[in-house]
């Protein structure tokens, strides 16, 4: 019996989570796994009412769950940064979800903005470090508000943090068993402390994985290759900030935010799965947002729980309807409502 903590969150989060749960229920019935869910109301509305983001006791409670399914965090009436750091990043950090796993997979070339790229050309995974780097929140102001102001934001990289991320990426690449190629995406030519550590660690860990081909690309070049030759990639490992940036580009070449899902993974603890698109306030309550990213996040969650058949069935159903039915993956242009897309996935679960 799995215990799933559900955080619908803000904006269109609750709408896409509802469709994810619809598909989860159908998959449970079909593949014979049992689960219970509990809804947690963390998000902008609760913050506006109570001033609370996430308490220690909330985190303790969440540690009892098998997995977390998150909709979106971000509210137009709350100053940017409060909910992101107080809820989303706090969850990632406190639960030590040190990997952010973001598959970039094109399901239908019609939805790819790149010319002449087919699904077989865009099929790779970004392993983003999720607990350190520039996201650590270290730094300071000097002479704040004056003409001599200095703002310092530190990228914090520990050998242990870098090594566990890189080792995870190698293992993931081996298990994925596609091209068996791992690319380190960094900036060794300018950021000579952080990327020296990353590069040294990468080469040391690589010795344990002689079956994996290694490669390196600077982050700026990586964005170029995403557009020009995405077929070169199999698995990419990178730091928190670069991973954040390149996965938005990745989402675009796989068809947009409507389809992009990610997992915040603690291999020894509680992991959290989310559509990466955000709360999309302008589409809230209109039943037009694409729930496929949230549905794919449920698929990733089930794979992580060991329900491989159910996960594969969800992916096949998504591929089927993206290939044959939808006019577009963008909110409001799909030719179907949010709820109808959830139903289509359920109908195609075999
Ligand atoms: C993401 C988001 C978050 C991040 C924001 C909302 C804090 O952009 O999941 O990629 O920067 O990690
Ligand atoms: Mn992002």
């Amino acid at each position: 019996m799995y215990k799933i903590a559900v955080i619908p969150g803000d904006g269109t989060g609750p709408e896409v989570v509802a469709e994810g749960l619809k598909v989860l229920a159908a998959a449970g019935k079909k593949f014979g796994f049992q689960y219970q869910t509990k809804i947690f109301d963390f998000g902008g509305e609760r913050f506006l009412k109570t001033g609370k983001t996430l308490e220690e006791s909330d985190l303790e409670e969440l540690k009892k769950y098998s997995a977390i399914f998150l909709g979106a965090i971000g509210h137009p009436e709350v100053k940017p940064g409060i909910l992101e750091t107080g809820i989303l990043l706090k969850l990632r950090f406190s639960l030590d979800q040190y990997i952010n796993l973001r598959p970039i997979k094109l399901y239908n070339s019609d939805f790819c903005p790149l010319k002449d790229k087919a699904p077989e050309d865009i099929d790779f995974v970004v392993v983003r470090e999720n607990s350190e780097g520039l996201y650590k929140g270290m730094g300071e102001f000097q002479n704040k508000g004056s003409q001599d102001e200095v703002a310092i934001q530190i990228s914090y990289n520990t050998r242990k943090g870098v090594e566990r991320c890189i080792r995870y990426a190698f293992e993931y690449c081996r298990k994925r068993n596609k091209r068996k190629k791992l690319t380190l995406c960094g900036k060794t030519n300018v950021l000579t402390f952080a990327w020296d550590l990353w590069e040294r660690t990468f080469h040391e860990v690589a010795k344990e994985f002689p079956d994996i081909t290694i490669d390196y690309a600077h982050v700026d070049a990586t964005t170029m290759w995403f557009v020009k030759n995405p077929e070169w990639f199999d698995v990419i490992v990178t730091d928190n900030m670069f991973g954040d940036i390149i996965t938005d580009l990745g989402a675009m070449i796989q068809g947009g935010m409507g389809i992009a899902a990610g997992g915040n993974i603690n291999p020894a603890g509680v992991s959290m799965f989310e559509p990466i698109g955000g709360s999309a306030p302008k589409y809230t309550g209109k039943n037009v947002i694409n729930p496929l990213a949230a549905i794919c996040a449920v698929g990733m969650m089930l794979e992580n729980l060991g329900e491989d058949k159910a996960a594969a069935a969800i992916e096949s159903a998504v591929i089927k309807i993206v290939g044959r039915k939808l006019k577009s993956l963008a909110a409001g242009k799909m030719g179907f409502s949010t709820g109808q897309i959830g139903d289509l996935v359920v109908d195609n679960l075999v």
Side-chain angles (χ1 to χ4, degrees), residues 88 102-103 157 163 270 332:
L88 184 59
R102 298 191 160 180
N157 300 265
E163 187 172 330
V270 185

Side-chain angles (χ1 to χ4, degrees), residues 102 128 244 248:
R102 298 191 160 180
R128 165 184 175 191
D244 177 48
D248 265 27

Side-chain angles (χ1 to χ4, degrees), residues 73 84 88-89 92 100 102 128 135 240 244 247-248 274 276:
I73 297 292
E84 291 84 346
L88 184 59
L89 298 182
R92 289 176 181 170
N100 197 325
R102 298 191 160 180
R128 165 184 175 191
Y135 277 67
N240 211 339
D244 177 48
T247 54
D248 265 27
E274 53 174 342
I276 75 173

Side-chain angles (χ1 to χ4, degrees), residues 163-234:
E163 187 172 330
R164 68 183 180 171
C165 174
I166 288 175
R167 181 164 280 109
Y168 181 95
F170 272 105
E171 273 159 9
Y172 185 85
C173 188
R174 179 181 273 168
K175 203 173 108 218
R176 179 171 148 92
N177 201 19
K178 292 262 165 67
R179 299 181 56 203
K180 292 194 143 193
K181 176 173 152 187
L182 180 63
T183 305
L184 177 68
C185 163
K187 192 71 186 172
T188 53
N189 54 347
V190 177
L191 306 178
T192 51
F193 299 108
W195 288 96
D196 188 272
L197 172 59
W198 273 82
E199 199 177 34
R200 268 185 287 123
T201 310
F202 185 66
H203 285 111
E204 276 171 44
V205 177
K207 291 188 197 133
E208 298 164 31
F209 297 86
D211 53 321
I212 306 293
T213 306
I214 54 169
D215 195 9
Y216 172 81
H218 291 317
V219 62
D220 48 349
T222 301
T223 62
M224 179 178 77
W225 301 130
F226 270 23
V227 173
K228 205 165 169 281
N229 297 101
E231 64 278 5
W232 286 356
F233 295 111
D234 175 15

Side-chain angles (χ1 to χ4, degrees), residues 4-7 42 54 59 62 65-73 84 87-102 130 261-267 269-276 297-298 300-301 304-305:
I4 314 287
V6 180
I7 308 174
F42 313 131
L54 206 59
L59 290 163
L62 287 169
Y65 284 77
S66 323
I68 303 169
F69 177 35
L70 172 82
I73 297 292
E84 291 84 346
I87 300 178
L88 184 59
L89 298 182
K90 192 159 183 190
L91 284 165
R92 289 176 181 170
F93 288 175
S94 306
L95 300 174
D96 203 19
Q97 295 163 340
Y98 63 87
I99 298 295
N100 197 325
L101 198 61
R102 298 191 160 180
N130 211 31
N264 301 275
I265 314 280
N266 175 344
V270 185
S271 299
M272 175 168 78
F273 300 85
E274 53 174 342
I276 75 173
V298 166
M300 288 183 79
M301 177 172 79
N304 191 262
L305 292 170

